[in-house]
Amino acid sequence: MSAATVTALHPSAEHDKATERRRVTQGRVLASEWIKLRSLRSTVYTLLAAIVMTVGAGLLLSAFMASQVAQPDPQHPVQFDPTGASLRGVFLAQLAIGVLGVLLVTGEYSTGMIRATLSAVPTRLPVLWAKAGVFSVVSAVLMTAASFTAFLGGQAILGTHGTTLAATGVARAVIGAGLYLTVVGLLGVGLGFIIRNTAGAIATLFGLLLILPTLAEVLPSSWAKHVVPYLPSNAGQAVMAVQQAPGDPAPWTGFGVFCAYAAATIIAAGILLKRRDA
């Protein structure tokens, strides 16, 4: 029996195949978001900026510290953390990664493309999972690689005054730097869906990461010691510290708190994405 005859006798079979080809799956949404991410020039430039900030600032500070310890002052001996010096660029890179997370979402709202995206994926939540998932993988790989590059380059500059990955807490701090930046970006993605405005989402993100810890310093000391270490950026950066200061949470405990902030933001974004009009 020919294929044409089979199709004529069972038209529903051909219809089912066509329906299967058109079905929206999480995998197809992921592929779509990956294409969007890599096709935007702003994504490439922002990721390059984050890498340059991480590596460049780390190498510059390491070179500065190397020059300081090369000419010691007996009255003012230099004491510094070689790992922290080489990872200092993370504090600049978080700005670029956070902005990229926001733009990944608000860019579609500003152009109106989000309507086409949500029309193609009427259940909506797969879009959120796909954006968060693709961004997380890309940023985790690139930022962790940048952290290792900054660390290894910085220690090469510091020479005998540096440290190694085998030292206690160093490998965790370097890996944690990449993970911290990834979660910063996820905060940006969540805020992008919640606020749906580029300037507002970026201002909120910077307020949480940079301004809130400063404002919290004015709290009474009896309150500050219980609040300040658990603010988003302070908690997240605990994983990058080789030596914990008194009162700071354990490295992975602090990072877990930071992840909880990001998870709460993503959950809120999902709820609003389902309830609000595009």
Side-chain angles (χ1 to χ4, degrees):
M1 187 179 295
S2 66
T5 304
V6 172
T7 301
L9 293 175
H10 303 284
S12 62
E14 193 67 22
H15 175 73
D16 291 343
K17 290 181 180 179
T19 301
E20 179 66 26
R21 287 194 295 268
R22 293 195 299 267
R23 180 186 300 173
V24 177
T25 64
Q26 186 67 66
R28 288 173 178 171
V29 180
L30 279 167
S32 173
E33 292 302 327
W34 165 242
I35 292 171
K36 290 179 189 176
L37 184 69
R38 64 185 175 86
S39 61
L40 291 173
R41 291 183 181 178
S42 59
T43 300
V44 177
Y45 295 153
T46 308
L47 286 172
L48 283 175
I51 292 170
V52 170
M53 289 175 184
T54 302
V55 177
L59 296 182
L60 283 174
L61 185 58
S62 297
F64 174 76
M65 298 308 302
S67 67
Q68 293 294 304
V69 296
Q71 301 174 349
D73 183 351
Q75 296 182 346
H76 302 90
V78 178
Q79 296 181 346
F80 72 102
D81 173 15
T83 303
S86 59
L87 295 179
R88 187 61 62 179
V90 169
F91 297 96
L92 290 175
Q94 68 178 335
L95 306 180
I97 287 294
V99 167
L100 180 58
V102 169
L103 290 176
L104 191 66
V105 178
T106 59
E108 289 199 41
Y109 278 101
S110 64
T111 61
M113 186 178 177
I114 192 67
R115 297 188 183 92
T117 299
L118 298 181
S119 296
V121 189
T123 54
R124 297 192 173 192
L125 287 181
V127 175
L128 173 59
W129 310 144
K131 285 187 181 293
V134 169
F135 181 85
S136 296
V137 171
V138 171
S139 59
V141 170
L142 293 179
M143 294 303 101
T144 302
S147 298
F148 272 99
T149 302
F151 173 79
L152 295 174
Q155 302 317 302
I157 292 172
L158 290 169
T160 57
H161 300 287
T163 185
T164 67
L165 287 170
T168 303
V170 172
R172 182 255 303 151
V174 177
I175 294 171
L179 295 178
Y180 171 77
L181 290 174
T182 300
V183 179
V184 167
L186 282 177
L187 271 174
V189 171
L191 290 173
F193 274 112
I194 292 171
I195 299 175
R196 304 196 295 186
N197 176 272
T198 300
I202 290 175
T204 303
L205 179 66
F206 287 2
L208 288 173
L209 297 178
L210 306 178
I211 299 175
L212 187 59
T214 302
L215 294 177
E217 295 293 341
V218 303
L219 291 172
S221 58
S222 59
W223 291 12
K225 64 181 180 181
H226 298 295
V227 173
V228 173
Y230 295 95
L231 295 176
S233 56
N234 292 345
Q237 290 164 14
V239 76
M240 297 189 295
V242 176
Q243 299 289 337
Q244 263 59 53
D248 283 354
W252 293 114
T253 300
F255 184 69
V257 171
F258 189 43
C259 289
Y261 282 113
T265 305
I266 293 294
I267 290 170
I271 294 172
L272 293 174
L273 183 62
K274 289 286 287 185
R275 293 183 176 179
R276 294 191 301 200
D277 293 335

